[in-house]
Amino acid sequence: NYIASDVTALVEHTKTIVYMDDFQIGVIGRGGISIYNRNEEEIEYEVKTIDWNVNAAEKGGYEHFMMKEIIEQPKVLRDTIRPRLKDNEVVLDDFSLSDEQLKSVDKVYITACGSAYHAGMVGKYVIERLCRLPVEIDVASEFRYRDPIVTENTLVVVISQSGETADTLAALKEAKEKGAHTLAIVNVVSSAIAKAADDVLYTWAGPEIAVATTKAYSAQLAALYLLAIYIGRRLGRVDDALNAELISQLNALPEKVETLINDRSAIQNLATVFYGEKNMFFIGRNIDYASALEGSLKLKEISYIHSEAYAAGELKHGTISLIEEGRPVIALACQNALADKLISNVREVKARGALVIGLSQDDMDISESVDYSISIPSTHPLFTASLSVIPLQLFGYYVAASNGCDIDKPRNLAKSVTVE
Ligand code: M6R
């Protein structure tokens, strides 16, 4: 028998797991295990079988888990999306709100930490657009301490890969205490957050080992798209034509991600130009702003290069004073409807000497306006984050590799942040 704080440590030894709850005491020995409650009374426990295999927790020939996990993303997207599609409709069996309860929801709150928060930001745009419900988003460490306005008519969505993040768990408990219906988008089965939420939407990403999240983030985005389409449909706000368009674009995402990953040598080359930089900026609008935040976090957490992400329209309210000759700016122009606005921001930074890498959909050529251009396959505007994040993950990875950084275990960081 073994004891561990995370199932990934156990998969090479066993598939049968007993999850312990808070305040329980476990005694393990050669002959068996016993679990006691806080009154030292022995309690019955449930033995669960996990379906993660050893290969999923090994590097499989890659130099780093992060690259292996980047490459797994098409599969992860398929695994998260396809079981929830039936006859071209999103079916979320685990969502327990009745029609009447759903109709009484007057606000959605999304709360999470780090990259999961960035996924939540994308979710805000998508849910607002498809469900026409107001969506508020907050980092869990703020939400839990600000007496948020949450009622029994609020749907609170928490997002977490590990399902163990202390602030997210506390935010979830706070929301439940205020009477909200809670839905957790979680990767790890039977984690504390999965157990505490009213409903769980699992992201079937498999074990994620690298500290920098990649495949779990992509799966969170997919889960949020499914949730938005599902609620939008049930509320009668997504009509048949839009539903068909969204489902077809959703189904096409894994192949498009695959194309971007296969073409990664261009990003590798770009990293050789920029790896020595000390400061970089990411800019974007709407969903591209959320992606800019995620790209910036990826870069800084594994390469230790200082980077900031800004809503592009905010530049002239202060940040543009930091732009000088040769300063790298990564400009996301993947929202075609806002591309003109973004290009005018690009002109502003270029006029101050910035070196600009531009990202856009392949049906929107911005190469004339930027120094280096990267294109992503075109998709529905609500889904661009799933494609734009791939070159950004690869950029962070290759820049960190060129700098000789410990990519899978960056300094000062832990995979699960189980303390405040
Ligand atoms: O396990 P969680 O999704 O709750 O973790 C949240 C953050 O700690 C996590 O996303 C963190 O920001 C990642 N290292 C980013 O790559």
Side-chain angles (χ1 to χ4, degrees), residues 112-118 159-165 168 193 210-214 216 220 294 297-298 301 413-417:
C113 301
S115 292
Y117 168 78
H118 300 153
I159 309 169
S160 175
Q161 185 284 129
S162 62
E164 302 291 346
T165 302
T168 310
I193 290 173
V211 164
T213 181
T214 52
Q220 287 163 355
E294 177 58 10
L297 179 61
K298 279 296 79 92
E301 73 178 324
L413 291 172
K415 181 66 181 162
S416 306
V417 185

Side-chain angles (χ1 to χ4, degrees), residues 48-184:
K48 297 222 163 138
T49 307
I50 45 164
D51 58 7
W52 288 357
N53 60 32
V54 186
N55 297 343
E58 286 178 347
K59 279 189 207 157
Y62 293 96
E63 202 177 336
H64 301 101
F65 279 111
M66 183 176 174
M67 182 51 85
K68 177 178 175 244
E69 290 162 4
I70 287 175
I71 287 173
E72 282 170 359
Q73 288 177 109
K75 175 181 181 322
V76 162
L77 284 172
R78 282 185 201 107
D79 290 351
T80 299
I81 295 170
R82 300 218 167 138
R84 272 104 179 202
L85 295 182
K86 294 195 181 93
D87 302 326
N88 284 329
E89 289 288 345
V90 176
V91 180
L92 298 184
D93 292 327
D94 304 325
F95 191 81
S96 67
L97 283 188
S98 65
D99 285 345
E100 202 185 330
Q101 287 169 312
L102 190 57
K103 278 196 188 108
S104 68
V105 169
D106 57 13
K107 185 168 86 170
V108 179
Y109 227 125
I110 303 179
T111 184
C113 301
S115 292
Y117 168 78
H118 300 153
M121 265 183 83
V122 176
K124 171 187 161 72
Y125 289 109
V126 180
I127 295 170
E128 284 188 343
R129 201 74 63 79
L130 297 182
C131 308
R132 304 316 295 163
L133 280 170
V135 183
E136 210 172 320
I137 168 128
D138 207 352
V139 285
S141 52
E142 290 296 312
F143 177 94
R144 65 181 289 193
Y145 291 122
R146 70 183 180 93
D147 192 11
I149 301 173
V150 167
T151 69
E152 53 283 4
N153 294 330
T154 315
L155 171 65
V156 174
V157 179
V158 300
I159 309 169
S160 175
Q161 185 284 129
S162 62
E164 302 291 346
T165 302
D167 283 319
T168 310
L169 180 59
L172 169 65
K173 288 180 176 164
E174 171 81 9
K176 279 186 85 169
E177 260 164 42
K178 287 177 178 286
H181 186 81
T182 56
L183 169 81

